[in-house]
Amino acid sequence: EVQLVESGGGLIQPGGSLRLSCAASGFTVSSNYMSWVRQAPGKGLEWVSVIYSGGSTYYADSVKGRFTISRDNSKNTLYLQMNSLRAEDTAVYYCARASPSSGWYGFEYWGQGTLVTVSS
Amino acid sequence: QSALTQPASVSGTPGQSITISCTGTSSDVGGYNYVSWYQQHPGKAPKLMIYDVGNRPSGVSNRFSGSKSGNTASLTISGLQAEDEADYYCSSYTSSSTWVFGGGTKLTVL
């Protein structure tokens, strides 16, 4: 069974750093396209970042230069390192898998989300 | 990376059909057949309902269908049911090797 479990969220002051983790089971992270998607309170979904199976990474303009996506193949875990956090980064962060069974470009599996609150 | 454009809300009565539109550009919706649709109930993670414009994942009701014409994609829900009341988001792959979501549409079943 495919499972994605995020952790690492919490309350952080503006300008601070946080690292989110997404532990995967039932499949191999490094063989799939893995993304982070966020949702600010009461707002819509916003795509944040992707790491492709080949290792290439891409980011939304809103986080470029501040966030870094990575994976640890030995732990089958996805990460999002978030630096220089701003109030507008406050959101529930989901990790999501785009899989062959969804044509590679649809996010078929999602975690439960982890809340990041940036506030002084 | 501008968000795709969706109507803020749509409504229908049980048994009716409704359609939600999703407008982008030639760099996303119009350039690729990689449009997806997601259903999200309050407090829950999104659920994939349609991928690659018109394909349904296993387990999704055939009351949900998708299509595309030019830079606009559409999600149609037929035989509307009370449990269909939720927020719906479209998403597209883009020419920048990224994804973009729509602003979301709140579906109310009257």
Side-chain angles (χ1 to χ4, degrees), chain A residues 25-49:
Chain A
S25 58
F27 72 100
T28 302
V29 164
S30 61
S31 299
N32 290 268
Y33 301 171
M34 298 298 299
S35 272
W36 288 96
V37 177
R38 69 184 180 182
Q39 186 170 34
K43 303 298 184 180
L45 301 173
E46 180 187 14
W47 179 84
V48 172
S49 180

Side-chain angles (χ1 to χ4, degrees), chain B:
Chain B
Q1 293 181 348
S2 299
L4 306 176
T5 300
Q6 299 180 230
S9 63
V10 297
S11 62
T13 57
Q16 269 190 332
S17 293
I18 64 95
T19 297
I20 300 171
S21 62
C22 170
T23 301
T25 70
S26 58
S27 295
D28 38 63
V29 174
Y32 303 90
N33 287 325
Y34 297 145
V35 175
S36 302
W37 289 90
Y38 301 86
Q39 176 191 66
Q40 187 180 36
H41 287 108
K44 301 294 187 182
K47 176 185 177 182
L48 180 66
M49 305 304 285
I50 295 287
Y51 68 94
D52 290 358
V53 176
N55 294 318
R56 282 185 308 275
S58 175
V60 172
S61 170
N62 59 9
R63 297 187 298 106
F64 292 83
S65 62
S67 63
K68 191 187 86 167
S69 177
N71 294 339
T72 297
S74 298
L75 171 71
T76 298
I77 308 174
S78 59
L80 208 56
Q81 298 179 1
E83 66 245 37
D84 298 333
E85 184 163 295
D87 293 326
Y88 290 85
Y89 296 91
C90 63
S91 174
S92 176
Y93 188 66
T94 82
S95 59
S96 301
S97 302
T98 62
W99 278 257
V100 62
F101 280 93
T105 298
K106 181 177 180 60
L107 169 62
T108 300
V109 180
L110 301 170

